[in-house]
Amino acid sequence: MNIHTIADHLNSLADNSDTGMDFDCQPISGEVDVLQITILGREELPVFLSVTDDQILCISYLWGADEVKTDCVNAMHESMLEMNIPMPLSSFSKIGDKYVVFGALSINSTFEDIEHELAVLSNNALEVIDDMSDFLV
Amino acid sequence: MSIFKKIMTAIRGGASEAGEAIIDANATRIFEQEIRDAENHLTKAKRDLTGVMAEQMSANRDVTRLQREISEHEGYAGQALEKGDETLALAVAEKIATLESDLSAQQQALDSFSGNADRLKELVKKSERQVTEHKRQLSMVKTTESVQKATSAITDNFSSSNSKLLSAKDSLERIKAKQQKFDDKMKAAEILESENSDSSLAAQLKAAGIGSQENSANSVLDRIRAKQK
């Protein structure tokens, strides 16, 4: 499983995805290959997928630390911790100064698993921003 | 220091800067080699274990056989005594004594094999746990590095393509607006669809001669005739 086979699969789905979402994949070259996956209608919130030795990581960037109202940081962190388990398949993290939601899959996942993961992650990201918008500037 | 702490310290300490490795590549390679060595030892231990278990089974069979022979010969000795044949009974008793010394030797061997097998099983389990744990730690280091490298690739891509990252709220607003537009379109299409089906129903009714009919020359003539009467 590498980003190219995943990209080929997602692009070939076109209108036939089980999730009702249209995926568009764009590989980003770098020291680590990353696949930028945009979902039709949600171009502003792409999912980035990378493959390591033992897992597939799907990450969606939520907001920067600078977008959080200064007096809300602690309350926001608490809310995020509390939501971490109820939120299906995804978890919160922070990369540099960016908050993210991510899902990690086994390298042996099927294409269907990956597709499902991407759909759930995208839905989670949208919902989280909506729910947390009170904490954001 | 645990790998977990090392990673946390490195991230906090700014090793998250692109390109800077959490643990230098050489250390990672050494760690990988250690894992491979441990896996080799594990394979060897498992092979040894199979051998010891085979010997254990064979010793066990010998012990059972000797026990059976002893009890058989005890029966023979009893029968010889009943017949008053002391000499034969003594000969059988000598045989039993030999068998018993064999049995005790085999029993000792069996105990030793069993002990070895148990020890090896424990060792295999311990090594398996250790290899799993090392792999997990290596995975943590590699994942952290991979995420950092991926992040810098993504950041580079964004800055080079000049596409400005929107704030989360703006992104959400835009996506919602698009969704709204899509919903509106769907609704409009639904309305159109229902209007179309209304008109097609009217056409069907007309074809069946039900409802208001178009004025035809015949109906006009009929009307005029009716007036003349």
Side-chain angles (χ1 to χ4, degrees), chain B residues 17-71:
Chain B
E17 301 290 321
E20 196 170 336
I22 297 283
I23 291 172
D24 68 287
N26 207 26
T28 311
R29 266 197 298 279
I30 291 169
F31 198 29
E32 279 176 310
Q33 186 55 49
E34 279 174 6
I35 292 174
R36 269 196 299 275
D37 288 348
E39 278 178 326
N40 286 341
H41 284 142
L42 193 57
T43 319
K44 194 179 168 294
K46 278 182 177 167
R47 221 168 25 229
D48 290 351
L49 178 60
T50 322
V52 171
M53 281 170 80
E55 288 185 271
Q56 186 189 3
M57 267 149 64
S58 139
N60 200 19
R61 263 196 307 274
D62 283 345
V63 166
T64 324
R65 179 182 53 82
L66 286 167
Q67 281 167 342
R68 201 183 50 237
E69 280 187 35
I70 288 169
S71 78

Short mmCIF file of all heavy atoms in Angstrom, two decimals, chain B residues 17-71:
data_model
loop_
_atom_site.label_atom_id
_atom_site.label_comp_id
_atom_site.label_asym_id
_atom_site.label_seq_id
_atom_site.Cartn_x
_atom_site.Cartn_y
_atom_site.Cartn_z
N GLU B 17 11.39 21.73 13.85
CA GLU B 17 11.86 22.48 12.68
C GLU B 17 12.15 21.47 11.58
O GLU B 17 12.74 20.43 11.84
CB GLU B 17 13.15 23.23 13.02
CG GLU B 17 13.04 24.22 14.15
CD GLU B 17 12.20 25.43 13.79
OE1 GLU B 17 12.33 25.88 12.64
OE2 GLU B 17 11.41 25.88 14.62
N ALA B 18 11.76 21.85 10.37
CA ALA B 18 11.92 20.91 9.26
C ALA B 18 13.36 20.43 9.15
O ALA B 18 14.29 21.20 9.28
CB ALA B 18 11.49 21.58 7.97
N GLY B 19 13.50 19.15 8.91
CA GLY B 19 14.82 18.62 8.60
C GLY B 19 15.59 18.13 9.81
O GLY B 19 16.47 17.29 9.70
N GLU B 20 15.25 18.64 11.01
CA GLU B 20 16.00 18.20 12.18
C GLU B 20 15.42 16.89 12.69
O GLU B 20 14.24 16.79 12.96
CB GLU B 20 15.92 19.27 13.26
CG GLU B 20 16.96 19.07 14.32
CD GLU B 20 17.04 20.27 15.25
OE1 GLU B 20 16.65 21.37 14.82
OE2 GLU B 20 17.45 20.09 16.40
N ALA B 21 16.26 15.91 12.83
CA ALA B 21 15.76 14.59 13.21
C ALA B 21 15.65 14.46 14.72
O ALA B 21 16.40 15.07 15.48
CB ALA B 21 16.69 13.51 12.67
N ILE B 22 14.66 13.69 15.16
CA ILE B 22 14.45 13.43 16.58
C ILE B 22 15.65 12.65 17.13
O ILE B 22 16.24 13.00 18.12
CB ILE B 22 13.20 12.55 16.76
CG1 ILE B 22 11.97 13.29 16.26
CG2 ILE B 22 13.05 12.11 18.20
CD1 ILE B 22 11.45 14.33 17.18
N ILE B 23 15.93 11.57 16.48
CA ILE B 23 17.07 10.73 16.86
C ILE B 23 17.85 10.55 15.57
O ILE B 23 17.24 10.31 14.52
CB ILE B 23 16.58 9.37 17.39
CG1 ILE B 23 15.89 9.58 18.74
CG2 ILE B 23 17.73 8.38 17.51
CD1 ILE B 23 15.21 8.36 19.26
N ASP B 24 19.16 10.71 15.62
CA ASP B 24 19.87 10.74 14.34
C ASP B 24 19.71 9.41 13.59
O ASP B 24 19.51 8.36 14.20
CB ASP B 24 21.34 11.12 14.53
CG ASP B 24 22.10 10.04 15.27
OD1 ASP B 24 21.88 9.91 16.50
OD2 ASP B 24 22.86 9.32 14.63
N ALA B 25 19.80 9.51 12.30
CA ALA B 25 19.50 8.38 11.41
C ALA B 25 20.34 7.16 11.77
O ALA B 25 19.87 6.03 11.70
CB ALA B 25 19.75 8.78 9.97
N ASN B 26 21.57 7.41 12.22
CA ASN B 26 22.47 6.32 12.57
C ASN B 26 21.90 5.52 13.75
O ASN B 26 21.89 4.29 13.73
CB ASN B 26 23.83 6.90 12.92
CG ASN B 26 24.94 5.90 12.66
OD1 ASN B 26 24.77 5.02 11.81
ND2 ASN B 26 26.03 6.01 13.38
N ALA B 27 21.41 6.24 14.75
CA ALA B 27 20.84 5.59 15.93
C ALA B 27 19.63 4.76 15.53
O ALA B 27 19.42 3.65 16.02
CB ALA B 27 20.45 6.63 16.96
N THR B 28 18.83 5.29 14.61
CA THR B 28 17.65 4.57 14.14
C THR B 28 18.06 3.27 13.45
O THR B 28 17.47 2.23 13.66
CB THR B 28 16.84 5.44 13.16
OG1 THR B 28 16.65 6.72 13.75
CG2 THR B 28 15.50 4.82 12.85
N ARG B 29 19.13 3.37 12.64
CA ARG B 29 19.61 2.18 11.93
C ARG B 29 20.10 1.12 12.93
O ARG B 29 19.83 -0.06 12.78
CB ARG B 29 20.73 2.55 10.96
CG ARG B 29 20.23 2.80 9.54
CD ARG B 29 21.37 2.75 8.55
NE ARG B 29 22.37 3.79 8.82
CZ ARG B 29 22.23 5.05 8.41
NH1 ARG B 29 21.16 5.42 7.74
NH2 ARG B 29 23.15 5.95 8.69
N ILE B 30 20.83 1.58 13.96
CA ILE B 30 21.32 0.65 14.97
C ILE B 30 20.14 -0.04 15.66
O ILE B 30 20.13 -1.25 15.88
CB ILE B 30 22.21 1.38 16.01
CG1 ILE B 30 23.51 1.82 15.34
CG2 ILE B 30 22.49 0.49 17.21
CD1 ILE B 30 24.34 2.78 16.16
N PHE B 31 19.14 0.77 15.97
CA PHE B 31 17.94 0.25 16.63
C PHE B 31 17.25 -0.81 15.75
O PHE B 31 16.87 -1.88 16.22
CB PHE B 31 16.99 1.42 16.91
CG PHE B 31 15.95 1.12 17.95
CD1 PHE B 31 16.18 0.21 18.97
CD2 PHE B 31 14.72 1.76 17.90
CE1 PHE B 31 15.22 -0.05 19.92
CE2 PHE B 31 13.75 1.49 18.85
CZ PHE B 31 14.01 0.58 19.86
N GLU B 32 17.17 -0.51 14.47
CA GLU B 32 16.56 -1.45 13.53
C GLU B 32 17.34 -2.75 13.50
O GLU B 32 16.78 -3.84 13.47
CB GLU B 32 16.50 -0.84 12.12
CG GLU B 32 15.32 0.09 11.93
CD GLU B 32 15.33 0.76 10.57
OE1 GLU B 32 16.39 1.31 10.18
OE2 GLU B 32 14.30 0.73 9.90
N GLN B 33 18.70 -2.62 13.53
CA GLN B 33 19.56 -3.81 13.51
C GLN B 33 19.32 -4.63 14.78
O GLN B 33 19.22 -5.85 14.72
CB GLN B 33 21.03 -3.37 13.41
CG GLN B 33 22.02 -4.52 13.24
CD GLN B 33 21.68 -5.40 12.04
OE1 GLN B 33 21.45 -4.90 10.94
NE2 GLN B 33 21.60 -6.71 12.26
N GLU B 34 19.16 -3.94 15.90
CA GLU B 34 18.91 -4.64 17.17
C GLU B 34 17.62 -5.43 17.11
O GLU B 34 17.54 -6.56 17.59
CB GLU B 34 18.85 -3.62 18.32
CG GLU B 34 20.22 -3.21 18.82
CD GLU B 34 20.16 -2.10 19.86
OE1 GLU B 34 19.04 -1.73 20.27
OE2 GLU B 34 21.22 -1.61 20.23
N ILE B 35 16.63 -4.82 16.49
CA ILE B 35 15.34 -5.51 16.36
C ILE B 35 15.50 -6.75 15.49
O ILE B 35 15.00 -7.83 15.81
CB ILE B 35 14.27 -4.56 15.79
CG1 ILE B 35 13.95 -3.47 16.80
CG2 ILE B 35 13.01 -5.33 15.42
CD1 ILE B 35 13.01 -2.40 16.30
N ARG B 36 16.24 -6.59 14.38
CA ARG B 36 16.45 -7.75 13.49
C ARG B 36 17.20 -8.86 14.23
O ARG B 36 16.84 -10.04 14.12
CB ARG B 36 17.23 -7.32 12.24
CG ARG B 36 16.31 -6.89 11.10
CD ARG B 36 17.06 -6.85 9.78
NE ARG B 36 18.17 -5.90 9.81
CZ ARG B 36 18.02 -4.60 9.55
NH1 ARG B 36 16.83 -4.11 9.24
NH2 ARG B 36 19.04 -3.78 9.59
N ASP B 37 18.24 -8.48 15.02
CA ASP B 37 18.99 -9.48 15.79
C ASP B 37 18.06 -10.20 16.76
O ASP B 37 18.10 -11.43 16.88
CB ASP B 37 20.11 -8.80 16.59
CG ASP B 37 21.24 -8.33 15.67
OD1 ASP B 37 21.23 -8.73 14.49
OD2 ASP B 37 22.10 -7.56 16.14
N ALA B 38 17.23 -9.42 17.44
CA ALA B 38 16.32 -10.02 18.41
C ALA B 38 15.38 -10.99 17.72
O ALA B 38 15.07 -12.06 18.25
CB ALA B 38 15.53 -8.91 19.11
N GLU B 39 14.95 -10.63 16.52
CA GLU B 39 14.04 -11.52 15.77
C GLU B 39 14.75 -12.80 15.38
O GLU B 39 14.16 -13.89 15.43
CB GLU B 39 13.51 -10.79 14.53
CG GLU B 39 12.33 -9.90 14.86
CD GLU B 39 11.80 -9.14 13.66
OE1 GLU B 39 12.61 -8.76 12.79
OE2 GLU B 39 10.59 -8.93 13.59
N ASN B 40 16.04 -12.69 15.02
CA ASN B 40 16.81 -13.89 14.69
C ASN B 40 16.94 -14.81 15.90
O ASN B 40 16.76 -16.02 15.80
CB ASN B 40 18.22 -13.51 14.19
CG ASN B 40 18.18 -12.94 12.79
OD1 ASN B 40 17.20 -13.16 12.06
ND2 ASN B 40 19.20 -12.20 12.41
N HIS B 41 17.24 -14.21 17.06
CA HIS B 41 17.34 -14.99 18.29
C HIS B 41 16.02 -15.70 18.57
O HIS B 41 15.99 -16.84 19.01
CB HIS B 41 17.70 -14.07 19.47
CG HIS B 41 19.14 -13.68 19.46
ND1 HIS B 41 19.56 -12.42 19.81
CD2 HIS B 41 20.24 -14.37 19.11
CE1 HIS B 41 20.89 -12.36 19.69
NE2 HIS B 41 21.32 -13.53 19.27
N LEU B 42 14.97 -14.97 18.30
CA LEU B 42 13.63 -15.51 18.56
C LEU B 42 13.38 -16.74 17.69
O LEU B 42 12.90 -17.77 18.17
CB LEU B 42 12.60 -14.41 18.27
CG LEU B 42 11.19 -14.65 18.76
CD1 LEU B 42 11.18 -14.88 20.26
CD2 LEU B 42 10.32 -13.46 18.42
N THR B 43 13.73 -16.61 16.42
CA THR B 43 13.55 -17.75 15.51
C THR B 43 14.34 -18.96 16.00
O THR B 43 13.85 -20.08 16.01
CB THR B 43 14.05 -17.38 14.09
OG1 THR B 43 13.63 -16.05 13.82
CG2 THR B 43 13.50 -18.31 13.05
N LYS B 44 15.58 -18.70 16.45
CA LYS B 44 16.45 -19.78 16.93
C LYS B 44 15.83 -20.41 18.19
O LYS B 44 15.76 -21.65 18.31
CB LYS B 44 17.84 -19.24 17.23
CG LYS B 44 18.87 -20.33 17.41
CD LYS B 44 20.25 -19.76 17.67
CE LYS B 44 21.19 -20.87 18.13
NZ LYS B 44 20.80 -21.43 19.43
N ALA B 45 15.38 -19.56 19.10
CA ALA B 45 14.79 -20.06 20.35
C ALA B 45 13.58 -20.92 20.05
O ALA B 45 13.37 -21.96 20.68
CB ALA B 45 14.41 -18.89 21.24
N LYS B 46 12.79 -20.50 19.06
CA LYS B 46 11.59 -21.27 18.71
C LYS B 46 11.97 -22.64 18.14
O LYS B 46 11.33 -23.65 18.42
CB LYS B 46 10.74 -20.51 17.69
CG LYS B 46 9.84 -19.46 18.33
CD LYS B 46 8.99 -18.78 17.28
CE LYS B 46 8.03 -17.79 17.91
NZ LYS B 46 7.43 -16.92 16.91
N ARG B 47 13.07 -22.65 17.34
CA ARG B 47 13.53 -23.91 16.77
C ARG B 47 14.01 -24.83 17.89
O ARG B 47 13.67 -26.01 17.93
CB ARG B 47 14.65 -23.64 15.76
CG ARG B 47 14.53 -24.50 14.54
CD ARG B 47 15.44 -24.07 13.40
NE ARG B 47 16.63 -23.36 13.78
CZ ARG B 47 17.01 -22.22 13.21
NH1 ARG B 47 16.27 -21.67 12.27
NH2 ARG B 47 18.12 -21.60 13.57
N ASP B 48 14.82 -24.27 18.82
CA ASP B 48 15.30 -25.04 19.97
C ASP B 48 14.12 -25.62 20.75
O ASP B 48 14.14 -26.77 21.16
CB ASP B 48 16.12 -24.14 20.91
CG ASP B 48 17.45 -23.77 20.28
OD1 ASP B 48 17.77 -24.35 19.23
OD2 ASP B 48 18.14 -22.90 20.84
N LEU B 49 13.13 -24.79 20.92
CA LEU B 49 11.96 -25.20 21.70
C LEU B 49 11.29 -26.41 21.05
O LEU B 49 10.92 -27.38 21.73
CB LEU B 49 10.97 -24.03 21.81
CG LEU B 49 9.68 -24.31 22.56
CD1 LEU B 49 9.97 -24.72 24.00
CD2 LEU B 49 8.76 -23.10 22.55
N THR B 50 11.17 -26.38 19.72
CA THR B 50 10.55 -27.50 19.01
C THR B 50 11.34 -28.79 19.28
O THR B 50 10.76 -29.84 19.58
CB THR B 50 10.55 -27.23 17.49
OG1 THR B 50 10.28 -25.86 17.29
CG2 THR B 50 9.52 -28.08 16.79
N GLY B 51 12.69 -28.68 19.23
CA GLY B 51 13.55 -29.84 19.48
C GLY B 51 13.35 -30.38 20.89
O GLY B 51 13.14 -31.59 21.08
N VAL B 52 13.39 -29.49 21.87
CA VAL B 52 13.24 -29.90 23.26
C VAL B 52 11.88 -30.54 23.49
O VAL B 52 11.76 -31.56 24.18
CB VAL B 52 13.45 -28.68 24.19
CG1 VAL B 52 13.08 -29.06 25.62
CG2 VAL B 52 14.88 -28.20 24.14
N MET B 53 10.86 -29.97 22.87
CA MET B 53 9.51 -30.51 23.06
C MET B 53 9.39 -31.91 22.45
O MET B 53 8.71 -32.78 23.00
CB MET B 53 8.46 -29.56 22.47
CG MET B 53 8.16 -28.39 23.40
SD MET B 53 7.17 -27.12 22.62
CE MET B 53 5.56 -27.83 22.76
N ALA B 54 10.10 -32.14 21.33
CA ALA B 54 10.10 -33.47 20.72
C ALA B 54 10.74 -34.47 21.67
O ALA B 54 10.22 -35.57 21.89
CB ALA B 54 10.85 -33.43 19.39
N GLU B 55 11.88 -34.07 22.27
CA GLU B 55 12.57 -34.96 23.21
C GLU B 55 11.72 -35.21 24.45
O GLU B 55 11.69 -36.32 24.99
CB GLU B 55 13.92 -34.35 23.60
CG GLU B 55 14.91 -34.42 22.44
CD GLU B 55 16.28 -33.94 22.84
OE1 GLU B 55 16.54 -32.73 22.73
OE2 GLU B 55 17.09 -34.78 23.26
N GLN B 56 11.01 -34.15 24.86
CA GLN B 56 10.13 -34.27 26.02
C GLN B 56 9.06 -35.33 25.75
O GLN B 56 8.78 -36.19 26.59
CB GLN B 56 9.49 -32.91 26.28
CG GLN B 56 8.64 -32.84 27.54
CD GLN B 56 7.87 -31.53 27.62
OE1 GLN B 56 7.93 -30.71 26.71
NE2 GLN B 56 7.15 -31.35 28.71
N MET B 57 8.49 -35.28 24.54
CA MET B 57 7.43 -36.23 24.18
C MET B 57 7.97 -37.66 24.16
O MET B 57 7.33 -38.59 24.67
CB MET B 57 6.85 -35.87 22.81
CG MET B 57 5.62 -34.97 22.91
SD MET B 57 5.46 -33.85 21.51
CE MET B 57 5.22 -34.98 20.19
N SER B 58 9.20 -37.80 23.60
CA SER B 58 9.78 -39.14 23.50
C SER B 58 10.09 -39.69 24.90
O SER B 58 9.81 -40.85 25.20
CB SER B 58 11.02 -39.07 22.60
OG SER B 58 12.06 -39.84 23.12
N ALA B 59 10.65 -38.84 25.79
CA ALA B 59 10.93 -39.26 27.16
C ALA B 59 9.64 -39.65 27.88
O ALA B 59 9.60 -40.63 28.64
CB ALA B 59 11.63 -38.13 27.92
N ASN B 60 8.61 -38.90 27.60
CA ASN B 60 7.31 -39.16 28.23
C ASN B 60 6.80 -40.55 27.82
O ASN B 60 6.30 -41.31 28.64
CB ASN B 60 6.33 -38.07 27.81
CG ASN B 60 5.15 -37.98 28.75
OD1 ASN B 60 5.23 -38.48 29.88
ND2 ASN B 60 4.08 -37.38 28.30
N ARG B 61 6.95 -40.85 26.50
CA ARG B 61 6.53 -42.17 26.01
C ARG B 61 7.31 -43.28 26.71
O ARG B 61 6.74 -44.28 27.16
CB ARG B 61 6.74 -42.25 24.49
CG ARG B 61 5.50 -41.94 23.68
CD ARG B 61 5.66 -42.41 22.25
NE ARG B 61 6.87 -41.88 21.62
CZ ARG B 61 6.94 -40.71 21.02
NH1 ARG B 61 5.87 -39.93 20.96
NH2 ARG B 61 8.06 -40.28 20.47
N ASP B 62 8.66 -43.09 26.85
CA ASP B 62 9.51 -44.09 27.51
C ASP B 62 9.06 -44.32 28.95
O ASP B 62 8.98 -45.47 29.40
CB ASP B 62 10.97 -43.63 27.50
CG ASP B 62 11.59 -43.84 26.11
OD1 ASP B 62 10.97 -44.58 25.32
OD2 ASP B 62 12.66 -43.25 25.84
N VAL B 63 8.77 -43.24 29.64
CA VAL B 63 8.36 -43.34 31.04
C VAL B 63 7.07 -44.17 31.15
O VAL B 63 6.99 -45.10 31.96
CB VAL B 63 8.17 -41.93 31.65
CG1 VAL B 63 7.42 -42.02 32.98
CG2 VAL B 63 9.51 -41.25 31.86
N THR B 64 6.12 -43.86 30.27
CA THR B 64 4.84 -44.59 30.30
C THR B 64 5.08 -46.08 30.03
O THR B 64 4.52 -46.95 30.69
CB THR B 64 3.89 -44.03 29.23
OG1 THR B 64 4.09 -42.64 29.13
CG2 THR B 64 2.44 -44.32 29.57
N ARG B 65 5.96 -46.33 29.00
CA ARG B 65 6.22 -47.72 28.64
C ARG B 65 6.85 -48.47 29.82
O ARG B 65 6.42 -49.58 30.18
CB ARG B 65 7.16 -47.77 27.43
CG ARG B 65 7.53 -49.17 26.95
CD ARG B 65 8.50 -49.14 25.77
NE ARG B 65 9.69 -48.32 26.03
CZ ARG B 65 10.75 -48.75 26.70
NH1 ARG B 65 10.78 -49.97 27.20
NH2 ARG B 65 11.80 -47.97 26.89
N LEU B 66 7.87 -47.84 30.46
CA LEU B 66 8.56 -48.49 31.58
C LEU B 66 7.59 -48.76 32.73
O LEU B 66 7.61 -49.84 33.34
CB LEU B 66 9.72 -47.61 32.05
CG LEU B 66 10.93 -47.61 31.09
CD1 LEU B 66 11.90 -46.50 31.44
CD2 LEU B 66 11.64 -48.97 31.15
N GLN B 67 6.71 -47.77 33.00
CA GLN B 67 5.74 -47.96 34.09
C GLN B 67 4.84 -49.17 33.80
O GLN B 67 4.56 -49.97 34.68
CB GLN B 67 4.89 -46.69 34.26
CG GLN B 67 5.62 -45.60 35.03
CD GLN B 67 4.92 -44.25 34.93
OE1 GLN B 67 4.10 -44.05 34.03
NE2 GLN B 67 5.24 -43.36 35.84
N ARG B 68 4.45 -49.29 32.52
CA ARG B 68 3.58 -50.40 32.15
C ARG B 68 4.31 -51.73 32.32
O ARG B 68 3.79 -52.68 32.91
CB ARG B 68 3.12 -50.23 30.71
CG ARG B 68 1.84 -51.02 30.36
CD ARG B 68 1.47 -50.86 28.90
NE ARG B 68 2.58 -51.14 28.00
CZ ARG B 68 3.06 -50.28 27.10
NH1 ARG B 68 2.53 -49.08 26.98
NH2 ARG B 68 4.07 -50.63 26.32
N GLU B 69 5.58 -51.76 31.85
CA GLU B 69 6.36 -53.00 31.95
C GLU B 69 6.57 -53.39 33.40
O GLU B 69 6.50 -54.58 33.76
CB GLU B 69 7.72 -52.82 31.27
CG GLU B 69 7.62 -52.97 29.76
CD GLU B 69 9.00 -52.95 29.08
OE1 GLU B 69 9.96 -53.47 29.70
OE2 GLU B 69 9.09 -52.39 27.98
N ILE B 70 6.83 -52.39 34.26
CA ILE B 70 7.05 -52.70 35.68
C ILE B 70 5.80 -53.35 36.27
O ILE B 70 5.88 -54.39 36.94
CB ILE B 70 7.45 -51.42 36.45
CG1 ILE B 70 8.87 -51.02 36.07
CG2 ILE B 70 7.35 -51.64 37.96
CD1 ILE B 70 9.29 -49.66 36.56
N SER B 71 4.65 -52.74 35.99
CA SER B 71 3.43 -53.30 36.60
C SER B 71 3.14 -54.69 36.03
O SER B 71 2.68 -55.58 36.74
CB SER B 71 2.25 -52.35 36.44
OG SER B 71 1.73 -52.43 35.15
#
